[in-house]
């Protein structure tokens, strides 16, 4: 068994989370420069193995660390921005080699809100082409590797961010989620990954242009308190007036919850035995803590699988058709990887189903809300089986084979993207191969607070296993 690859050492970062580092900087026990230099050294130590940094910004980070940092919640804390969000002065490659990425003239709207919290950006993290795949792998290039075992996938699409946080390069990194892309890599890398409610934060332009916005922005972290503090701090910059504020969650609630339980998905594939055991053990733990856990019906029909697939394929088709207008004049759809091209072909074959698909995608939010009236949260797996080895989801795999594998693997996350509801991934177990196994909790629209309270409860009752310095 491969040993974990990590960057933890006795430097300014230590093994503190982002909240701890921010406090040390605020009280002048550390300087932003010390922390930045330590994070850069860590990145340089492990990235040649992990391949998680798409665009480094070390010089810019050092320059920023020498300037006054202000009093924002995470002032001076090093981070990475996922390379599908615009960061002024740097290219936005979207994980693709089908075009020459332009240098962003300004920050994206979400990036601007994110950076208002005081983060210092060390660079942009890797993702599979346009975030379409659930593993951060590329055609003809080295994949992003899982720091728990480099033979395995780091997940996707926020795989680079997850690998960097799990390996200890930075304590927190930007991620976003259009079908599971926060929760899947968090599950693979043993992190906390909260996909917030649709429109909880400012959206970047690509999400605003979607017929149904399935993308939510967020972070991956090593502690529940970092995730909670991040979302509370984001509300000091922007609050969606149509959503109940999350506020600052600092621990579990005393309320006894009614929690629905879903172990097998609607796609016809049974959840693997190891994952099933972790979910069942989590249910038993919740019951021992006084909560009620019961099996519940699935909130959407089986047609949801075909609908979400067609929508995903439609996004690929729109990129392939209009890429030279919205991305770069030299965009060449023939240079997209085989999986992206396969999605485009899939949409062309089923294009006449678009109107009804869009109707049902819109309707999924109402169906979800109706079912959630009876529950405070829903417990399920994040993934249909344990973390796969690299190559299992490689984009050059024949499309029909890869599509079937993704359907079996990414079985539980897309519903929340269509419905716009919040969901969180928590690392509650470890597989026989030594990699994390996560569970997912979902809640009603706008109720991230309940998810964070459950996360605090479970983190205290069964502390999450992390990669640590040996």
């Amino acid at each position: 068994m491969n040993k974990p690859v990590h960057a933890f050492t006795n430097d300014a970062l230590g093994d503190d989370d982002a909240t701890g580092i921010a406090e040390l900087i605020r009280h002048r026990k550390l300087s932003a420069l010390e922390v930045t230099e330590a994070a850069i050294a860590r990145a340089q130590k492990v990235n040649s193995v992990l391949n998680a940094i798409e665009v480094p910004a070390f010089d810019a980070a050092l320059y920023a660390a020498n300037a006054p940092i202000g009093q924002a919640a995470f002032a001076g804390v090093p981070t990475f921005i996922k390379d599908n969000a615009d960061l002024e002065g740097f290219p936005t490659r979207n994980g693709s080699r089908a075009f020459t990425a332009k240098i962003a003239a300004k920050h994206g709207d979400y990036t601007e809100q994110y950076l208002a919290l005081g983060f210092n950006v060390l660079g942009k993290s890797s993702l599979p082409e346009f975030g379409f795949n659930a593993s951060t792998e590329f055609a003809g290039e080295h994949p992003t590797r899982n720091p728990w075992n480099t033979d395995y996938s780091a997940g996707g699409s926020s795989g680079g961010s997850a690998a960097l946080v799990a390996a200890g390069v930075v304590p927190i990194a930007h991620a976003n989620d259009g079908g599971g892309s926060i929760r899947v890599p968090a599950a693979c890398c043993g992190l906390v990954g909260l996909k917030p409610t649709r429109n909880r934060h400012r959206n970047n332009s690509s999400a605003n242009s979607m017929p149904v916005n399935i993308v939510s922005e967020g972070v991956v972290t090593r502690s529940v308190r970092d995730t909670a503090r991040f979302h509370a701090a984001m509300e000091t910059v922007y609050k969606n007036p149509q959503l109940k504020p999350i506020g600052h969650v600092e621990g579990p609630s005393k309320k006894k919850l009614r929690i629905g339980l879903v172990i097998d998905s609607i796609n016809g594939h049974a959840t693997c035995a190891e994952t099933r055991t972790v979910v069942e053990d989590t249910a038993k733990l919740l019951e021992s803590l006084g909560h009620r856990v019961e099996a519940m019906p699935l909130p959407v029909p089986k047609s949801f699988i075909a609908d979400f697939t067609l929508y995903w394929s439609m996004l690929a088709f729109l990129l392939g058709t209009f890429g030279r207008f919205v991305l770069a004049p030299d965009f060449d759809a023939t240079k997209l990887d085989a999986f992206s091209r396969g999605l485009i072909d899939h949409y062309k074959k089923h294009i006449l189903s678009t109107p009804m698909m869009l109707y049902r995608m819109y309707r999924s939010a109402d169906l979800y809300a109706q079912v959630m009236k009876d529950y405070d949260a829903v417990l399920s797996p994040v993934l249909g089986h344990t973390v796969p080895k690299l190559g299992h989801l490689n984009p050059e795999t024949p499309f029909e084979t890869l599509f079937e594998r993704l359907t079996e693997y990414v079985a539980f996350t897309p519903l929340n993207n269509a419905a716009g509801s919040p969901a969180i991934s928590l690392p509650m177990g470890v597989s026989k191969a030594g990699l994390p196994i996560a569970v997912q909790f979902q809640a009603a629209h706008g109720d991230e607070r309940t998810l964070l309270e459950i996360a605090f409860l479970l983190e205290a009752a069964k502390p999450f296993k992390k990669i640590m310095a040996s």
Side-chain angles (χ1 to χ4, degrees), residues 135-402:
S135 185
T136 307
E137 300 182 49
F138 311 96
E141 297 184 26
H142 292 296
T144 297
R145 297 180 180 276
N146 192 317
W148 288 78
N149 185 324
T150 56
D151 289 338
Y152 286 78
S153 170
S157 64
S158 308
S161 287
L164 291 164
V165 172
V169 175
V170 291
I172 187 170
H174 167 234
N176 46 33
D177 193 317
S181 292
I182 291 174
R183 292 160 288 161
V184 172
C188 291
C189 294
L191 303 175
V192 178
L194 172 62
K195 173 220 165 293
T197 301
R198 178 162 44 221
N199 300 325
R200 172 63 74 183
H201 307 311
R202 290 174 180 160
N203 294 319
N204 281 323
S205 58
S206 58
N208 286 329
S209 65
M210 291 180 178
V212 179
N213 177 16
I214 58 173
V215 177
S216 293
E217 305 284 344
V219 290
V220 286
T221 71
R222 294 196 298 268
S223 69
V224 176
R225 75 168 182 169
D226 272 1
T227 297
R229 189 178 187 194
F230 169 80
H231 286 281
M234 289 289 273
E235 291 184 329
T236 68
V237 182
Y238 167 77
K239 283 183 183 178
N240 185 333
Q242 297 180 331
L243 293 175
K244 182 181 178 180
I246 302 171
H248 191 189
V249 184
E250 298 183 89
S253 169
K254 294 182 180 179
K255 178 183 176 182
K256 298 307 177 184
L257 304 176
R258 184 184 184 191
I259 299 172
L261 176 64
V262 174
I263 296 184
D264 292 316
S265 76
I266 58 176
N267 63 17
H269 294 285
T271 298
C272 81
E274 287 187 81
T275 302
R276 179 182 295 271
T277 297
V278 171
V279 176
E280 290 173 342
D281 287 348
T282 303
K284 292 173 185 175
L285 177 58
L286 286 166
E287 289 177 330
S288 74
L289 295 169
H291 301 286
R292 179 180 174 186
V293 182
E294 60 187 56
M296 65 169 286
L298 293 164
V300 289
K302 288 186 177 182
S303 61
F304 176 79
I305 302 167
D307 288 338
F308 194 87
T309 301
L310 186 60
Y311 187 80
W312 205 239
S313 302
M314 183 183 74
L315 298 180
F317 173 81
L318 293 173
L319 276 169
T321 304
F322 300 108
R324 62 192 182 93
F325 301 107
V326 298
L327 293 171
D330 69 347
F331 179 86
D332 184 351
T334 66
K335 293 182 180 178
L336 292 169
D337 67 32
F339 183 56
S340 297
R341 298 196 308 272
L343 287 171
I344 292 170
D345 290 341
H346 178 84
Y347 182 70
K348 289 177 180 178
K349 293 174 184 176
H350 299 89
I351 192 169
L352 295 179
S353 300
T354 301
M356 288 305 298
M357 172 271 289
L358 289 174
Y359 168 76
R360 289 190 293 266
M361 285 282 285
Y362 281 116
R363 188 166 172 261
S364 64
D366 294 331
L367 293 175
Y368 182 89
Q370 187 66 32
V371 170
M372 289 305 299
K373 287 180 179 179
D374 295 329
Y375 300 94
D376 298 295
V378 174
L379 166 64
S380 75
V382 176
L383 298 164
H385 59 76
T386 55
V387 182
K389 284 192 171 184
L390 289 165
H392 182 72
L393 300 176
N394 187 280
E396 295 304 294
T397 303
F399 179 77
E400 295 300 330
T401 300
L402 179 53

Side-chain angles (χ1 to χ4, degrees), residues 60-143:
L62 289 168
Y63 180 83
N66 277 293
I69 62 170
Q71 296 297 313
F74 293 98
V77 175
T79 193
F80 282 83
I81 297 286
K82 185 177 175 181
D83 194 29
N84 61 357
D86 283 347
L87 179 68
E88 182 180 347
F90 294 89
T92 305
R93 296 177 178 171
N94 285 287
S96 179
R97 301 299 180 260
F99 66 102
T100 303
K102 297 180 290 187
I103 301 298
K106 62 178 183 178
H107 297 319
D109 289 345
Y110 175 80
T111 307
E112 195 171 69
Q113 184 183 357
Y114 185 87
L115 295 182
L117 303 193
F119 290 115
N120 191 5
V121 178
L122 269 63
K124 305 192 78 178
S125 60
S126 59
L127 71 154
E129 187 166 73
F130 295 108
F132 290 143
N133 202 350
S135 185
T136 307
E137 300 182 49
F138 311 96
E141 297 184 26
H142 292 296

